[in-house]
Amino acid sequence: MKKPFNVTWWARAVSVLGGLGVLLQAQNAQASEADLVLPDLHSVSFLGGIPGDTLLLWGLAICLFGMIFGAVQYMGIRQLPVHSAMREISELIYATCKTYLVTQGKFILVLWVLIGGIIVAYFGWLRHLETIKVIFILVASLIGILGSYTVAWFGMRINTFANSRTAFASLGGKPFPTYAIPLRAGMSIGMLLISIELFVMLCILLFVPKDFAGPCFIGFAIGESLGASVLRIAGGIFTKIADIGSDLMKIVFKIKEDDARNPGVIADCAGDNAGDSVGPTADGFETYGVTGVALISFILLAIKAPEVQIMLLVWIFAMRLVMILASAVSYWTNAAFAKMKYSNADEMNFEKPLITLVWLTSIVSIVLTYIASYFLIRTLGDGTMWWKLASIITCGTIAGALIPELVNRFTSTECAHVRNVVQCSKEGGAALNILAGLVAGNFSAYWMGLAIVSLMAGAYGLSTLGISTLGLTPELIATQGLLTVGLDKVIMLAPSVFAFGLVAFGFLSMGPVTIAVDSYGPVTDNAQSVYELSLIETIPNIKQNIQSEFGFQPDFTNAKRYLEANDGAGNTFKATAKPVLIGTAVVGSTTMIFSIIMILTNGLANTAAIAKLSILSPPFLLGLMMGGAIIYWFTGASMNAVTTGAYYAVEFIKNNIKLDSGAEKASVDDSKKVVEICTKFAQKGMINLFLTIFFTTLAFACLDSFFFIGYLISIALFGLYQAIFMANAGGAWDNAKKIVETELNAKGTPLHDASIVGDTVGDPFKDTSSVALNPIIKFTTLFGLLAIELAIELAPQVALTLAAIFFALSLVFVHRSFFSMRIKVDEH
């Protein structure tokens, strides 16, 4: 049963190159993802005579700087002062997370063993690659897995250091440390993640033989996709089962937030890391890697002139290096200003310095993008290409800053939509709370959709300004001393494909900061829990103990207030990274869909085929309709996994919580049982979800090529808006509860109960279904590229027969996604 599931992850990464590789099949039938050959990077010089490979060697030094930055921050956070009661709780959370990660690691390795056979069969038997190349693919896939898994583990470990240190720092009576420590941990994760991913890709580019580079990139993409996908999707289900199981006890038993007697709280804290730290960190690693591999493969396969290939390859990697430098400079600058403004303040808006950091990084990144582009590729084309390409990337960079700003308008504790949710709850209870949250989510989808469309349209407009021929004319080549290659060798097929790919690349141009503000959330959430679970206020002589050991008098009243307010900022900025990654998936999938169209229309030369890409063509129209159906099924199935798991978690907690026994804390065994329930349903739900997607993709690819195009377009469009709507509705409900708890001080009231119900509805919205749609959109489109390439080689009757078989199998798992997860119905 697991084998087809494993095939999906192999195909997902392989098809990044496979789909783009077929772009040139109309001109070169032998081109494939296995045949990528790098040009000689030494043959073109930059910056007044530095060969391309030498320049990229300096890039390795920048990557090492990023890794050292992350390590230094890690050691600094670990050495921050913390009371033993808080450290013990954070170490218990770490131990639980470690058990979860080890379990997932074993599961990933089992999958890798199985897909190893598939890799050998596909590349060795079907593609006839040499044995040594197949071995390189296998080794590179292990490196990809190790990369995803390592950054995920690092993120989990530093966040479990930071949560107790943040909780303890809040006792000092000033809000600034409770802001600075989570952001410091997030920057450590972001810098390390991007630096490792870039370091590996540079090593492949520089040190692997040129004809082995393609297989190595394939293997690396396979591994990172496999690792990231398992950790992201399972983590999203796990965390919301635990969160709901814990939160509902506040209504049932009228107990406080993170009551230590609640056995679901430790599972909830572990879930904050599994779903909001481990999953996003691994997903970010995979997203940055796959986006880079896709652009590399396009450059190598869609442009013939080696000189142009080299210039664009070096430029692409330089943009990634600029990202690291821009993030570091912006972080240090913002930290200095924030410290001057808030270090001695008794009150602060935790969101303001985070917003400033995002915009500052965006501006610095854009400026450095133009500067680096001018010095690296100013001789490319007619002398205007440097600013055209830099402007296309800038469209994505602006999106990376604008989208978080728009998210704030719908999820921040300061925004009108969240205030509306609170106001509706005062008179209408949970019913109007939920309706107001749905309003916020729907409005957010409009404004973010408008922003993404506008910026993509801008990139498309720039792509029409001569990128297809890189601005060269025979006269310019002869008179301006530009690249001495023939015009026929520099024509780029489908320049809009490259432009959309660069927009996706630009979305990620603030990489470390995007990851940092996303990681801010789980630390602030855990910090509040650690404070409560430590029972620090009840420890005998605690004030004297802290005074003698740490040199200050603890301020318990303000500490709890700071932690709760900072958790609201964390909720907001957890929400900001989600649409950025979702937008990247959709823009990237648009690029991939163009690739399939190129196959089916013979490079846009077949007018009869082009006519089938119309709503007047029934297969295409039916495909558009079917994609929406799949998105809505997936949303329901992922929420059902959470619902069922939460039911059994709530049942267990209600039967085992001991409020009248005199115990101050839940037993470790009971807490472990809740973790077991979360893990069980996370694994079970994930397998049903992806087997359905896998077989559905194969079925529709075999059924009809133009039906499949409509299906993929629909998956991307429905998925984009469904994900944005769900993520921001969930964020609005979450922070509405935070306002009730902090500003209104209404814990334990009917208003608080109503806000808890809304937040419970929003939990799987924002942290399971919406974030899961990101890899689903990427997987369906990327795997679809390979599926369509294989399907069009089949005889019509064989293809239709396979379509029927694959669709029947998909229906089995659609059925199982509800009925195998169904809660047993009571007889009475």
Side-chain angles (χ1 to χ4, degrees), residues 395 399 402-403 445-461 500 503 507 586-587 717 720-721:
C395 290
L402 183 60
I403 288 175
Y446 169 80
W447 286 108
M448 272 183 271
L450 183 62
I452 292 172
V453 169
S454 299
L455 291 167
M456 287 183 68
Y460 167 71
F500 289 147
V503 171
F507 263 70
V586 172
V587 175
L717 295 181
L720 170 67
Y721 291 106

Side-chain angles (χ1 to χ4, degrees), residues 9-10 13-14 104-117 119-120 133-151 196 200 204 215-228 231 285:
W9 301 115
W10 158 72
V14 170
Q104 293 297 338
K106 292 176 181 177
F107 184 56
I108 291 169
L109 285 177
V110 169
L111 298 185
W112 181 84
V113 170
L114 294 175
I115 66 171
I119 289 172
V120 172
K133 283 190 177 181
V134 176
I135 293 174
F136 261 68
I137 295 173
L138 293 172
V139 172
S141 70
L142 283 174
I143 294 173
I145 290 173
L146 184 62
S148 288
Y149 195 76
T150 298
V151 296
I196 290 177
V200 173
I204 294 174
C216 282
F217 279 126
I218 293 168
F220 181 62
I222 291 170
E224 61 180 355
S225 295
L226 173 63
L231 294 173
F285 186 84

Side-chain angles (χ1 to χ4, degrees), residues 11 15 17 42 71 94 97 151 175 333 336 351 464 480 522 558 628 641-642 672 687 698 756 795 808 814:
S15 58
L17 299 179
H42 193 78
Y94 170 66
C97 292
V151 296
T333 304
E351 293 182 9
T464 64
Q480 300 298 320
N558 279 323
V642 172
K672 287 182 177 179
I687 290 174
L698 285 175
I756 291 171
V814 169

Side-chain angles (χ1 to χ4, degrees), residues 620-773:
F620 181 77
L621 179 60
L622 294 173
L624 289 173
M625 296 175 66
M626 190 64 215
I630 286 292
I631 290 296
Y632 279 90
W633 160 80
F634 181 85
T635 299
S638 56
M639 285 198 294
N640 186 52
V642 172
T643 303
T644 304
Y647 174 90
Y648 289 108
V650 168
E651 180 184 55
F652 177 84
I653 294 170
K654 287 169 67 176
N655 292 334
N656 291 276
I657 192 170
K658 299 176 179 64
L659 301 178
D660 301 323
S661 65
E664 293 184 336
K665 295 183 179 182
S667 73
V668 174
D669 288 340
D670 285 348
S671 296
K672 287 182 177 179
K673 180 61 180 176
V674 179
V675 172
E676 281 181 27
I677 293 170
C678 297
T679 303
K680 172 186 174 182
F681 286 97
Q683 299 278 43
K684 194 173 182 179
M686 180 179 61
I687 290 174
N688 285 328
L689 289 167
F690 280 98
L691 284 175
T692 300
I693 293 295
F694 171 69
F695 285 120
T696 300
T697 304
L698 285 175
F700 294 160
C702 291
L703 177 64
D704 182 271
S705 298
F706 295 95
F707 175 95
F708 191 57
I709 289 287
Y711 170 74
L712 292 180
I713 292 172
S714 184
I715 285 282
L717 295 181
F718 275 88
L720 170 67
Y721 291 106
Q722 180 80 328
I724 292 174
F725 152 69
M726 297 184 78
N728 293 327
W733 282 314
D734 198 354
N735 270 344
K737 183 190 74 169
K738 191 59 59 180
I739 291 174
V740 171
E741 293 172 343
T742 55
E743 290 187 23
L744 303 182
N745 196 25
K747 289 183 179 180
T749 65
L751 175 61
H752 190 220
D753 289 349
S755 70
I756 291 171
V757 172
D759 180 43
T760 302
V761 173
D763 278 338
F765 266 51
K766 65 185 174 63
D767 290 324
T768 305
S769 297
S770 63
V771 293
L773 284 169

Side-chain angles (χ1 to χ4, degrees), residues 81-122:
V82 60
H83 193 274
S84 58
M86 292 179 169
R87 183 173 58 245
E88 287 171 7
I89 298 300
S90 66
E91 290 304 304
L92 177 59
I93 295 169
Y94 170 66
T96 306
C97 292
K98 182 168 68 174
T99 301
Y100 167 80
L101 259 182
V102 169
T103 301
Q104 293 297 338
K106 292 176 181 177
F107 184 56
I108 291 169
L109 285 177
V110 169
L111 298 185
W112 181 84
V113 170
L114 294 175
I115 66 171
I118 300 171
I119 289 172
V120 172
Y122 179 80

